[in-house]
Amino acid sequence: MNSVWMSYLVMLAVGGLICFRGFSLYKLVQFLLCGWIGYFLALQVCTKFSVEGTMLVVIALAVGLITGFLGFHYYKVGMYFSASISAFLVVFSFFWRQAMALGKELLEQVSGVEHVFTFGNFFQTVLLGMKAGADTNLLDIMLLEAGIQPERWSEGLEQIMSLLKQGVLWAGAAGLICGILALVFGDYVIIILTSVFGGMLLNLLVEQFIALDPIISSVMLAVFSVIGFVMQMKHKREKH
């Protein structure tokens, strides 16, 4: 059997499994991922306590199976954290980019402070600091030498910290909401996405043998997706 037909068989198997059993596959992935994490952590802990040989393998495998089972049975916990972390990162990145842009602007304004400590302008720098007040710190002196008011620098830093604080609050709220939504609607989202993705693979496989009109191709994709959704929902209800 040549590689082309082998790739067709793989596409058929993968597309069929994802389209018609995608939800079960997701839980299987949770089992494997949580099992591997538990196995790895058990190995690290046992090594610290000088556990070796067969006992090390047995303990690590037992912990891996237990954590894998917990990940499979309580898969929504992983779903919650995945949705929460993803939402947090997406929202916080928006504020982070604004804060970094403001920080870059401030740094560009003080790009000339590297000459502050040269011997030629030492006394000028000290005099500028004395004019600014007896309690002016070294950073204020450097900023004054660069032609920048320390108040402007402080305001910029406060704006950056304010942006980051807002980012944490909004991202935390978004993460919490998305995590809750994932717990409530996560099963259906997984079923819909896997049905459509698996249907796309099957549709692509059909198009390797038959040239389809775009409308016919879209209809066939919809048919695959609906059949996959119905079968997965039926399988889910039978399991519960």
Side-chain angles (χ1 to χ4, degrees):
M1 182 179 297
N2 58 41
S3 58
V4 175
W5 283 100
M6 180 64 72
S7 65
Y8 290 159
L9 289 176
V10 171
M11 188 180 298
L12 176 62
V14 173
L17 284 173
I18 294 176
C19 185
F20 305 122
R21 285 292 184 269
F23 184 70
S24 298
L25 284 178
Y26 176 84
K27 296 175 71 174
L28 177 61
V29 171
Q30 284 279 97
F31 171 81
L32 295 175
L33 179 61
C34 294
W36 181 85
I37 292 174
Y39 177 82
F40 176 78
L41 292 177
L43 281 179
Q44 299 302 312
V45 173
C46 288
T47 301
K48 293 293 183 182
F49 287 94
S50 302
V51 180
E52 299 177 349
T54 305
M55 184 60 67
L56 173 63
V57 176
V58 171
I59 294 175
L61 285 175
V63 173
L65 289 173
I66 292 172
T67 55
F69 172 78
L70 291 175
F72 182 87
H73 190 68
Y74 300 103
Y75 66 95
K76 285 193 174 182
V77 175
M79 190 184 299
Y80 173 84
F81 283 109
S82 298
S84 296
I85 293 172
S86 299
F88 182 92
L89 293 176
V90 169
V91 175
F92 184 75
S93 65
F94 173 76
F95 292 90
W96 176 263
R97 285 194 297 268
Q98 293 185 67
M100 291 302 100
L102 183 56
K104 182 180 179 181
E105 180 183 341
L106 288 176
L107 290 176
E108 288 175 350
Q109 291 179 0
V110 297
S111 59
V113 300
E114 64 272 9
H115 66 280
V116 166
F117 294 105
T118 60
F119 181 78
N121 61 10
F122 175 78
F123 291 105
Q124 181 182 359
T125 301
V126 173
L127 288 174
L128 286 171
M130 293 174 64
K131 290 179 181 179
D135 58 348
T136 301
N137 60 34
L138 182 59
L139 177 59
D140 290 347
I141 297 175
M142 295 170 67
L143 294 171
L144 288 168
E145 173 64 16
I148 301 172
Q149 292 298 320
E151 293 79 8
R152 173 69 185 89
W153 176 266
S154 299
E155 290 175 1
L157 291 180
E158 289 178 1
Q159 291 177 11
I160 292 174
M161 293 305 299
S162 177
L163 280 171
L164 294 177
K165 289 178 181 178
Q166 292 179 45
V168 170
L169 290 175
W170 283 104
L176 179 63
I177 293 172
C178 288
I180 294 173
L181 290 175
L183 290 177
V184 177
F185 302 108
D187 290 1
Y188 304 101
V189 172
I190 292 172
I191 291 174
I192 292 172
L193 291 178
T194 53
S195 298
V196 173
F197 182 68
M200 290 173 62
L201 290 178
L202 294 175
N203 198 43
L204 182 62
L205 178 61
V206 173
E207 290 181 342
Q208 301 301 313
F209 301 95
I210 305 173
L212 298 175
D213 182 81
I215 297 178
I216 301 299
S217 178
S218 299
V219 171
M220 184 171 292
L221 172 60
V223 171
F224 280 132
S225 300
V226 170
I227 294 175
F229 178 81
V230 171
M231 290 186 64
Q232 289 197 58
M233 287 297 297
K234 181 180 178 182
H235 183 70
K236 182 176 182 296
R237 291 194 185 98
E238 291 174 351
K239 288 293 185 180
H240 290 78

